[in-house]
Amino acid sequence: MSHPDADVVVPESGRPVVLRGGTVLTMDDAHTVLPGADVLVVDGRIAAVGQQLEVPQGTAEIDAGGGIVMPGMIDTHRHMWQTAMRGYGADWTLTQYFVWYYLEHGRAFRPEDVHAGNLVSAWDALEAGVTTTVDWSHGLQTVDHAEAAVDALSAVPGRFVLAYGNIQAGPWEWTADPAVRSFLERRRTGAGDRLGFQLAFDVTGDPAFPEKAAFEAARELGLPVTTHAGVWGATNDDGIRLMHEHGFMTPETVYVHAATLSTDSYHRIAATGGSISVSTESEQSAGQGYPPTWQVRRHGIPVSLSMDTSVWWSGDLFSAMRTTLGADRSREHLEAHARGETVTHVQLRAEQVVDWATRGGARALGRDDIGSLEPGKRADVVLIKNDASPVSFPLLNPYGHVAFQAQRGDVHTVLVDGQVVKSAHRLVGADLGAVRRTVDATVEHLRSTLGEETWTQGMNPDLPGAEVLDNPYTYTEYKSASTHDARGSVFGDDTPAG
Ligand SMILES: [Zn+2]
């Protein structure tokens, strides 16, 4: 395959790298944008950002001219194991998802299947410029599954957080399992800062609050909790209230979706300093509730973005930024129209969703050393540049360009911790053939275990009968006219027959 940049040489690991002459979105506190600027990376850190930098001898140069240089993006909630079923649930609702994964077929996943899903998902993230991904890993039925999940994440040169979970048991059960505890202690030791850990479980709102023991385990282990909160029909204000009353709402807690919560719950989240992980594409399609940014931004609650699962959606945050802007603005217009008003100036700006996709994720994970391009920070860097695409110019509004124009194919170069992991539009060191074979084996296992009929039905949910309204303007003659060749009405009667 020929590509205009195919002859680019990937700098060896450890060599300083400079990205020259791009439009740099630093995402520092002031959101400084530097046109025609360089980003110098030395020893895994951002060494300097500015125009015409002097660089150490032997520095590898990457031409960022005409492109956008920005911090690596951060996805704070992704069920990476499910990527082994990429696209299978495109027409699901949350109910079909729950039945498939939680109640019926999710337990057919073996450790090697979790490994396969995580492996393809991890490369998928890097390919899209997502340098840090939280693996909301709730398919860990055994510690062997967990070992497989971490092994896969460790095999890919990105930053990951294993959010340990197990939907097949109560969180008060698996967090008490000595094997789980020793796994977490063992794999955290010497893991380095490319691998973090959280505990992942949901709070049902049961007044007995059985999840209390799981929160206590998290506290003992020193691990943050991430929880699906405010999910229509599953989790609600009671769970938030119980967490608050028992003192388990902390600044490092991540509330995923938070779409069907009352003002009181948002107050409790804001007051305790936690953040919300918004998965707009998921909320819109699966039904957790209306994507909540239009509400949470009024409470000053920090936001990060996430893609949830590739059983429906692609794992790139361009999509998250785009749909989050769309959903927020859509709601703002709708609310105004209901009052007979017109929105003349939208509240949510492209700049803000770029912030959420970078700094917002870093803040949610308690990582003040990533999420912006400033000297001293770890060098997670993305270059968006595609000279072969007419979409790459003119580059007038860089935040708008990132949010509404760019897509994963425009991600030219990705660095994680100073290491080039994507170069000239190609992943570095990824044996996608081998990854594909492991995913194929998983699909084959699931398909043969479930049987062809169950497999097909799972992918094609029953279609409810569609309501078609009587139309008072539809008359017999009009109907017969509408069945004629469309050209008759478009081009007029004298159009020659084709
Ligand atoms: Zn989720």
Side-chain angles (χ1 to χ4, degrees):
M1 179 185 147
S2 72
H3 191 282
D5 304 311
D7 55 345
V8 168
V9 177
V10 179
E12 58 274 26
S13 192
R15 188 175 166 196
V17 174
V18 66
L19 297 104
R20 287 280 194 204
T23 297
V24 179
L25 308 185
T26 64
M27 303 317 293
D28 62 7
D29 290 346
H31 284 189
T32 307
V33 178
L34 298 168
D38 309 334
V39 175
L40 174 64
V41 172
V42 180
D43 291 335
R45 292 184 187 274
I46 308 289
V49 181
Q51 270 101 358
Q52 293 170 334
L53 295 176
E54 292 202 17
V55 301
Q57 202 159 24
T59 298
E61 304 241 352
I62 296 170
D63 177 9
I68 296 170
V69 183
M70 64 181 283
M73 289 172 270
I74 298 170
D75 183 328
T76 53
H77 153 242
R78 188 130 184 261
H79 309 293
M80 293 174 74
W81 61 292
Q82 297 175 349
T83 309
M85 300 280 291
R86 185 191 293 287
Y88 179 90
D91 295 321
W92 281 356
T93 61
L94 203 55
T95 302
Q96 280 134 1
Y97 169 84
F98 283 153
V99 168
W100 203 96
Y101 273 111
Y102 289 25
L103 301 178
E104 292 178 358
H105 309 308
R107 62 189 83 197
F109 274 68
R110 305 161 299 175
E112 57 262 51
D113 304 317
V114 171
H115 188 276
N118 272 22
L119 202 57
V120 65
S121 182
W123 282 117
D124 174 343
L126 292 188
E127 212 268 334
V130 179
T131 50
T132 300
T133 307
V134 173
D135 179 20
W136 220 102
S137 193
H138 56 354
L140 306 180
Q141 305 170 64
T142 69
V143 169
D144 286 345
H145 288 75
E147 302 276 8
V150 171
D151 287 348
L153 301 180
S154 304
V156 177
R159 250 182 247 288
F160 300 99
V161 174
L162 182 87
Y164 194 113
N166 176 7
I167 42 177
Q168 304 301 341
W172 54 92
E173 294 167 337
W174 58 261
T175 54
D177 181 348
V180 172
R181 298 271 187 124
S182 87
F183 164 83
L184 288 167
E185 275 154 22
R186 184 162 33 84
R187 297 301 299 244
R188 283 168 82 188
T189 308
D193 78 348
R194 278 199 192 180
L195 181 64
F197 289 85
Q198 296 177 330
L199 292 189
F201 58 87
D202 298 342
V203 182
T204 61
D206 177 345
F209 195 39
E211 298 86 1
K212 182 167 182 271
F215 282 106
E216 284 165 350
R219 191 176 279 169
E220 282 166 34
L221 291 161
L223 294 176
V225 170
T226 176
T227 185
H228 293 110
V231 173
W232 176 260
T235 58
N236 56 37
D237 293 318
D238 293 332
I240 296 290
R241 184 180 45 75
L242 286 163
M243 285 175 68
H244 193 223
E245 286 171 358
H246 288 82
F248 294 124
M249 292 179 75
T250 61
E252 66 269 20
T253 308
V254 178
Y255 306 87
V256 176
H257 301 306
T260 51
L261 293 177
S262 66
T263 298
D264 179 69
S265 286
Y266 290 129
H267 283 325
R268 292 179 199 255
I269 293 171
T272 50
S275 65
I276 290 176
S277 174
V278 176
S279 309
T280 303
E281 263 194 309
S282 179
E283 288 132 25
Q284 287 183 318
S285 204
Q288 293 91 342
Y290 198 90
T293 59
W294 70 285
Q295 298 204 76
V296 305
R297 58 181 163 76
R298 298 189 297 190
H299 292 275
I301 300 170
V303 172
S304 63
L305 302 183
S306 59
M307 288 311 304
D308 202 348
T309 170
S310 287
V311 79
W312 276 272
W313 308 284
S314 167
D316 77 80
L317 289 183
F318 295 109
S319 186
M321 289 187 272
R322 193 170 303 161
T323 51
T324 300
L325 278 173
D328 192 293
R329 293 172 178 181
S330 184
R331 185 65 180 242
E332 201 182 354
H333 290 300
L334 192 67
E335 298 279 327
H337 296 177
R339 297 189 302 268
E341 296 169 5
T342 299
V343 175
T344 59
H345 296 70
V346 288
Q347 283 286 338
L348 188 64
R349 301 301 168 103
E351 179 175 345
Q352 185 63 57
V353 294
V354 176
D355 178 291
W356 288 343
T358 53
R359 289 168 63 96
R363 191 230 164 267
L365 300 179
R367 293 288 304 251
D368 58 9
D369 59 341
I370 56 175
S372 65
L373 301 178
E374 297 174 85
K377 301 249 176 167
R378 303 307 307 179
D380 296 357
V381 187
V382 169
L383 168 60
I384 296 167
K385 171 182 159 109
N386 189 349
D387 292 341
S389 168
V391 181
S392 63
F393 59 88
L395 175 52
L396 305 177
N397 174 343
Y399 293 115
H401 210 98
V402 170
F404 277 132
Q405 303 290 328
Q407 44 100 355
R408 73 160 62 223
D410 301 324
V411 173
H412 177 288
T413 298
V414 180
L415 282 80
V416 179
D417 223 37
Q419 184 185 345
V420 176
V421 300
K422 186 180 183 185
S423 177
H425 302 278
R426 294 297 202 100
L427 287 168
V428 177
D431 184 351
L432 290 187
V435 177
R436 181 193 291 264
R437 283 191 290 279
T438 69
V439 172
D440 284 351
T442 286
V443 170
E444 179 52 37
H445 159 70
L446 293 169
R447 201 166 176 152
S448 59
T449 304
L450 271 53
E452 206 55 31
E453 194 183 339
T454 304
W455 174 268
T456 305
Q457 278 177 357
M459 191 157 47
N460 300 285
D462 291 342
L463 190 63
E467 184 189 19
V468 179
L469 300 177
D470 286 337
N471 184 338
Y473 301 103
T474 314
Y475 302 104
T476 313
E477 287 166 45
Y478 183 84
K479 262 184 186 163
S480 66
S482 70
T483 61
H484 290 166
D485 189 316
R487 286 177 304 173
S489 58
V490 176
F491 297 107
D493 293 339
D494 57 353
T495 305

